[in-house]
C-alpha cells in the first residue's frame, strides 16, 4: 500500500485529501473505492488487496474523515464538495476511465458522477445504497454521529461492535483494524472517532426529508452491481425491486444483514471481484 495526498479546493481555501493506492501504478485498469458517511478508506484494505491483482486500486479518505483534513469552520460537508474533490483526484491519477465501488455515501458520490455526460465511470458497484433513501434511516444514522470520546482503543472497539451490527461476522483481528483506523488520539490521550464532528450536524440538517435519487440513477447507463443487505433500512426492498427493472443491473442479496455489508468478508470480496472480472470487456 502506498499513501499520497492532493490539495482540493473549498470556498475559502485548500484542504488535503489523503488516498491509499494498491497495485501497480502502471496498470491502466483503475478502480476507486469510496467509504460511507462516518467511515474511512481503511475499511477497504482487504478488498483493495484482492482487487489489486487486476487493478490499480485507489481508496480516498473523503474530506473530514480519516487522514484527510477537515473543512474550515462554516464550510458545508456535502455531495458538491465531494464531487469536486474526486474530480481533482481523477485528474491527479491522469486516467480517462475508472470503475467504482461505493459504500453508502460513496455509492451516492459514484451515482452522481456516473450520471453525468462523458463520465469516466465505466462499471459501478453500489454497496447497500440505491435510488431512494427514506428519511427514517437518515435520522437513525444522525443519532449515532457526534463527538464520541473513549478512554482506550478497546472502548472504541466495543462501541463499534455495538453500533455496526452488519459487521457481526468479522473476526477479532478485523474489529481491531476498524477500531485502530476509525479513531484518533488527541493531545489529552482521549480517543475520538476519526471524523470531523461537524459532519454530525451536516447530516442532521439534511435529515428532514427523503433523498430521492431516481432522476440521477435513471441517467446511468453502465453495468451496475447492487449489493443489498436484506435487513437494510437505507436500501429498502421496494427500491431494490424497482431498480431491478434496469437490465444492466445485477443484484447480490445478503440475508440477515442490515445497513451496510462490510465488504470485508471473504464471500463478499469474491462476489465483487468475480463480477468485475466478468465485465472486464464491457
Amino acid at each position: 500500500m502506498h499513501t499520497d495526498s492532493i490539495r482540493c479546493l473549498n470556498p475559502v481555501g485548500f484542504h488535503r485529501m489523503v488516498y491509499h493506492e494498491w497495485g501497480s501504478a502502471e496498470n491502466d485498469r483503475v478502480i476507486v473505492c469510496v467509504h460511507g458517511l462516518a467511515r474511512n478508506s481503511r475499511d477497504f484494505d482487504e478488498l483493495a488487496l484482492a482487487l489489486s491483482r487486476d487493478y490499480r486500486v485507489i481508496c480516498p479518505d473523503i474530506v473530514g474523515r480519516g487522514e484527510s483534513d477537515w473543512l474550515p469552520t462554516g464550510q458545508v460537508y456535502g455531495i458538491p464538495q465531494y464531487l469536486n474533490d474526486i474530480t481533482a483526484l481523477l485528474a491527479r491519477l491522469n486516467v480517462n476511465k475508472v470503475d467504482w465501488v461505493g459504500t453508502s455515501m460513496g455509492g451516492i458520490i459514484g451515482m452522481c458522477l456516473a450520471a453525468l455526460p462523458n463520465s469516466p465511470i465505466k462499471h459501478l458497484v453500489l454497496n447497500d445504497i440505491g435510488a431512494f433513501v427514506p428519511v427514517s434511516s437518515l435520522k437513525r444514522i444522525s443519532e449515532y454521529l457526534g463527538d464520541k470520546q473513549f478512554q482506550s482503543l478497546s472502548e472504541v472497539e466495543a462501541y463499534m461492535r455495538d453500533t455496526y451490527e452488519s459487521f457481526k461476522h468479522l473476526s477479532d483481528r478485523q474489529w481491531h483494524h476498524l477500531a485502530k483506523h476509525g479513531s484518533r488520539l488527541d493531545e489529552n490521550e482521549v480517543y475520538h472517532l476519526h471524523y470531523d464532528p461537524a459532519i454530525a450536524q451536516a447530516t442532521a440538517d439534511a435529515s428532514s426529508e427523503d433523498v430521492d435519487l431516481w432522476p440521477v440513477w435513471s441517467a446511468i447507463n453502465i453495468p451496475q452491481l447492487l449489493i443489498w443487505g436484506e435487513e437494510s433500512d437505507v436500501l429498502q426492498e421496494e427500491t431494490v425491486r424497482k431498480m431491478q427493472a434496469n437490465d444492466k443491473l445485477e443484484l447480490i442479496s445478503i440475508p440477515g444483514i442490515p445497513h451496510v455489508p462490510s465488504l470485508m468478508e471473504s464471500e463478499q470480496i469474491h462476489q465483487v471481484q468475480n463480477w468485475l472480472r466478468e465485465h472486464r470487456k464491457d
Side-chain angles (χ1 to χ4, degrees):
M1 186 186 77
H2 169 70
T3 301
D4 207 337
S5 66
I6 58 170
R7 289 191 179 188
C8 301
L9 182 66
N10 61 66
V12 296
F14 289 88
H15 57 270
R16 187 177 61 102
M17 183 169 74
V18 171
Y19 63 94
H20 305 290
E21 182 170 342
W22 304 73
S24 171
E26 304 304 314
N27 193 343
D28 61 0
R29 297 189 68 218
V30 178
I31 191 164
V32 179
C33 302
V34 180
H35 57 78
L37 178 68
R39 304 300 310 151
N40 65 82
S41 63
R42 303 303 299 272
D43 288 359
F44 291 114
D45 278 11
E46 295 185 45
L47 178 64
L49 180 60
L51 294 181
S52 68
R53 299 183 181 97
D54 302 314
Y55 285 96
R56 178 186 180 190
V57 186
I58 308 296
C59 303
D61 280 331
I62 298 300
V63 63
R65 289 87 168 172
E67 298 177 47
S68 292
D69 289 346
W70 295 359
L71 287 176
T73 301
Q75 299 309 302
V76 178
Y77 285 102
I79 297 299
Q81 181 66 65
Y82 307 152
L83 296 180
N84 179 74
D85 292 359
I86 290 294
T87 301
L89 174 61
L90 296 179
R92 159 67 70 86
L93 299 176
N94 193 27
V95 293
N96 295 318
K97 59 182 181 180
V98 298
D99 292 341
W100 188 279
V101 176
T103 291
S104 196
M105 179 192 74
I108 294 176
I109 297 170
M111 281 190 281
C112 291
L113 287 171
L116 294 172
N118 303 313
S119 173
I121 298 181
K122 301 306 177 185
H123 300 89
L124 179 62
V125 178
L126 299 172
N127 184 22
D128 212 58
I129 192 70
F132 184 83
V133 181
V135 65
S136 57
S137 67
L138 297 174
K139 289 181 177 179
R140 176 188 61 79
I141 291 169
S142 68
E143 288 174 358
Y144 71 70
L145 298 176
D147 190 14
K148 314 291 184 183
Q149 298 187 11
F150 310 91
Q151 298 306 309
S152 67
L153 199 58
S154 61
E155 285 189 12
V156 176
E157 182 176 326
Y159 167 81
M160 289 184 172
R161 285 178 182 262
D162 184 59
T163 302
Y164 298 119
E165 182 185 352
S166 60
F167 293 4
K168 59 188 176 183
H169 298 307
L170 298 185
S171 67
D172 290 344
R173 176 190 60 79
Q174 290 172 315
W175 278 114
H176 181 74
H177 174 90
L178 291 175
K180 176 183 176 182
H181 295 290
S183 62
R184 59 182 174 82
L185 191 62
D186 69 17
E187 64 277 6
N188 297 315
E189 300 296 309
V190 174
Y191 286 90
H192 304 257
L193 299 178
H194 216 336
Y195 58 81
D196 184 351
I199 291 170
Q201 186 58 53
T203 304
D205 291 344
S207 300
S208 60
E209 58 185 8
D210 300 327
V211 177
D212 184 354
L213 294 168
W214 286 112
V216 173
W217 181 77
S218 297
I220 300 172
N221 190 34
I222 57 173
Q224 300 172 62
L225 175 64
L226 180 63
I227 302 170
W228 174 38
E230 291 185 3
E231 303 301 318
S232 176
D233 62 341
V234 173
L235 178 59
Q236 297 184 334
E237 182 173 3
E238 180 182 359
T239 303
V240 173
R241 301 310 174 206
K242 289 176 67 175
M243 292 177 71
Q244 284 186 288
N246 184 331
D247 60 8
K248 290 192 174 184
L249 181 138
E250 295 181 37
L251 174 68
I252 292 175
S253 298
I254 306 178
I257 294 296
H259 187 74
V260 58
S262 68
L263 301 189
M264 295 174 69
E265 297 180 37
S266 295
E267 183 178 1
Q268 296 172 18
I269 290 171
H270 291 154
Q271 288 173 318
V272 172
Q273 190 174 37
N274 290 339
W275 183 84
L276 289 166
R277 285 174 172 171
E278 289 170 2
H279 290 80
R280 183 175 298 179
K281 296 181 180 180
D282 289 351

